[in-house]
Amino acid sequence: MDFIEGLLKVAGNEAIYVVVDRLSKAAHFLDLKHPYTALDVAQLFMVGIFKLHRMPKSIVPDKDPIFLPLAEWWYKTSYHSSIHMTPYEVVYGRKPPPLLPYLPFDSQLDMVDRSLQAREATIRSLKFHMGHAQNRMKVQADKHMTK
């Protein structure tokens, strides 16, 4: 998915939300009004994409600033040894809110259950990859340390 912006205003709309199917390369072009939020885009997705095709197995978003990636949230709420707290605590003066784990089938709505299970899988993957990256950085830093 991507956004095309800076267009002439037509019927109050000046941006286009583009969703492309990776397999067929079929594209949907949905018009947006500025300023739009992540909620606006999610609602447009439900009306213009989900209604026609159901939920995709994966979504590759662009780097639009209206989305707060999970990795960024994780970074802001993770303990940093250099400042002896999380960046969230520095900015807001309190501990970050917990991201409560979801137990499968806690919800009575199948769609909510699938969505939260996908979130849990994303968090597990993120933890794995961040741990792997931290380990690589430690190995590189240790190479340059004198004993």
Side-chain angles (χ1 to χ4, degrees), residues 98-126:
L99 187 58
L100 299 174
Y102 179 73
L103 300 173
F105 311 110
D106 272 356
S107 174
Q108 294 178 359
L109 297 173
D110 189 46
M111 184 176 174
V112 171
D113 192 61
R114 285 192 315 266
S115 175
L116 292 173
Q117 285 181 24
R119 182 194 75 175
E120 289 298 309
T122 300
I123 291 170
R124 281 192 305 274
S125 176
L126 180 60

Side-chain angles (χ1 to χ4, degrees), residues 27-60:
H28 291 274
F29 300 92
L30 308 165
D31 53 334
L32 279 168
K33 293 180 181 174
H34 270 291
Y36 55 86
T37 65
L39 179 60
D40 296 329
V41 174
Q43 288 173 336
L44 191 57
F45 180 87
M46 294 304 287
V47 171
I49 306 302
F50 180 82
K51 183 172 96 176
L52 298 171
H53 306 288
R54 309 309 292 162
M55 195 64 169
K57 290 183 180 177
S58 66
I59 297 174
V60 180

Side-chain angles (χ1 to χ4, degrees), residues 2-143:
D2 203 351
F3 298 90
I4 301 172
E5 298 183 350
L7 304 172
L8 294 175
K9 194 178 280 192
V10 176
N13 298 312
E14 55 190 323
I16 298 174
Y17 175 40
V18 181
V19 180
V20 179
D21 176 50
R22 286 182 281 180
L23 178 63
S24 69
K25 305 301 183 207
H28 291 274
F29 300 92
L30 308 165
D31 53 334
L32 279 168
K33 293 180 181 174
H34 270 291
Y36 55 86
T37 65
L39 179 60
D40 296 329
V41 174
Q43 288 173 336
L44 191 57
F45 180 87
M46 294 304 287
V47 171
I49 306 302
F50 180 82
K51 183 172 96 176
L52 298 171
H53 306 288
R54 309 309 292 162
M55 195 64 169
K57 290 183 180 177
S58 66
I59 297 174
V60 180
D62 77 340
K63 306 295 188 271
D64 197 274
I66 67 165
F67 296 104
L68 180 62
L70 188 56
E72 184 178 347
W73 179 86
W74 199 264
Y75 173 83
K76 289 179 179 179
T77 59
S78 294
Y79 179 84
H80 289 246
S81 59
S82 60
I83 58 175
H84 300 286
M85 62 181 61
T86 69
Y88 187 97
E89 289 175 274
V90 172
V91 173
Y92 298 106
R94 59 185 166 87
K95 298 258 185 222
L99 187 58
L100 299 174
Y102 179 73
L103 300 173
F105 311 110
D106 272 356
S107 174
Q108 294 178 359
L109 297 173
D110 189 46
M111 184 176 174
V112 171
D113 192 61
R114 285 192 315 266
S115 175
L116 292 173
Q117 285 181 24
R119 182 194 75 175
E120 289 298 309
T122 300
I123 291 170
R124 281 192 305 274
S125 176
L126 180 60
K127 284 181 179 180
F128 171 79
H129 291 295
M130 288 184 76
H132 188 67
Q134 288 173 340
N135 190 40
R136 281 194 322 261
M137 288 186 277
K138 182 183 180 330
V139 167
Q140 289 301 317
D142 289 349
K143 286 181 182 177

